[in-house]
């Protein structure tokens, strides 16, 4: 009995954290999203958002950039994670650490330094960062979120059962079929985690797009930031709810897909 009480008491700090820093802030967001400046219930923020072509276009552009950045990061990180996890190629954690080290630097400083470096490179070609806002934004996105793509894939590939790969080869599968049927399905959990760690922060970020594009590309995070900085708590809160809804839907979809992939891996 005492052990059960003790174990339950260990959950008190987490419960307090959950209530104070997650549940209560979300309740405040919901309150401001459906009230006006005087605290009366209204759907003005709802109507304003869904009748504003500017805000809807910003959301669409943010989703497209998020998807594009996720695909680019995975295409770059997947072979890198494979090389890093292969003991025949990499026998130490030094190379892995080299990819992680940049993420330890302050986010704003890292982005500003990258912009300055990119501006120097573009000057050699007779152009500036302001003339290529989308290109510069995507470079900033990929380089900032690439470590968060490599690590989940790397940790997943370390646990791969290579006996399945060898079995596929013994059964006559060519390298492509071996990869598709034996190797790739085992990396799906890491692939899903990496996609979530890149896609959602990309949509909600505003420092990278604002710094790298010199303010010419606005993402959904920029729009929320501008609303709050202009004391428009109602519109900013409603857009934050939209962001939470997107995150919730993405988590449901990826969670279901991940559980199915894990189930298929166990029954392979």
């Amino acid at each position: 009995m005492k052990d059960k009480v003790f174990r339950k008491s260990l959950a008190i700090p987490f419960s307090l954290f959950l209530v104070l820093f997650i549940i209560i802030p979300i309740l405040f967001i919901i309150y401001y999203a459906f009230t006006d400046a005087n605290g009366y219930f209204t759907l003005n923020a709802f109507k304003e958002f869904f009748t504003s072509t500017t805000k809807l276009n910003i959301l669409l552009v943010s989703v497209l950039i998020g998807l594009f950045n996720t695909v680019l990061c995975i295409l770059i990180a997947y072979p890198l994670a494979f090389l890093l996890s292969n003991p025949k190629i990499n026998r130490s954690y030094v190379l892995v650490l080299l990819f992680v080290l940049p993420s330890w630097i302050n986010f704003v400083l890292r982005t500003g330094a990258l912009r300055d470096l990119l501006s120097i490179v573009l000057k050699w070609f007779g152009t500036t960062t302001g003339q290529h806002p989308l290109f510069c934004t995507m470079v900033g996105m990929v380089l900032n979120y690439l470590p968060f793509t490599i690590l989940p894939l790397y940790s997943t590939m370390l646990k791969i059962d290579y006996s399945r790969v060898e079995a596929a080869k013994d059964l006559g599968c060519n390298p492509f079929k071996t990869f598709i049927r034996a190797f790739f399905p085992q990396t799906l959990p890491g692939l899903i985690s990496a996609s979530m760690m890149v896609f959602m922060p990309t949509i909600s970020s505003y420092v990278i797009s604002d710094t790298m594009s010199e303010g010419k590309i606005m993402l959904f995070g920029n729009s929320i930031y501008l609303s709050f900085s202009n004391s428009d708590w109602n519109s900013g809160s409603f857009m934050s709810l939209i962001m939470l809804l997107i995150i919730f839907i993405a988590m449901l979809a990826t969670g279901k897909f991940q559980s199915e992939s894990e189930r298929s891996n166990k029954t392979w």
Side-chain angles (χ1 to χ4, degrees), residues 29-48:
I29 290 174
I30 295 172
Y31 170 76
Y32 280 114
F34 295 103
T35 56
D36 56 17
N38 297 318
Y40 295 107
F41 175 79
T42 181
L43 294 175
N44 287 339
F46 177 87
K47 295 176 183 177
E48 181 187 355

Side-chain angles (χ1 to χ4, degrees), residues 204-206 209-210 217-227:
S204 60
S205 70
Y206 65 90
S209 58
D210 192 54
I217 290 183
M218 179 177 284
L219 298 183
F220 204 58
N222 297 79
S223 186
I224 295 173
Y225 167 74
L226 287 175
S227 296

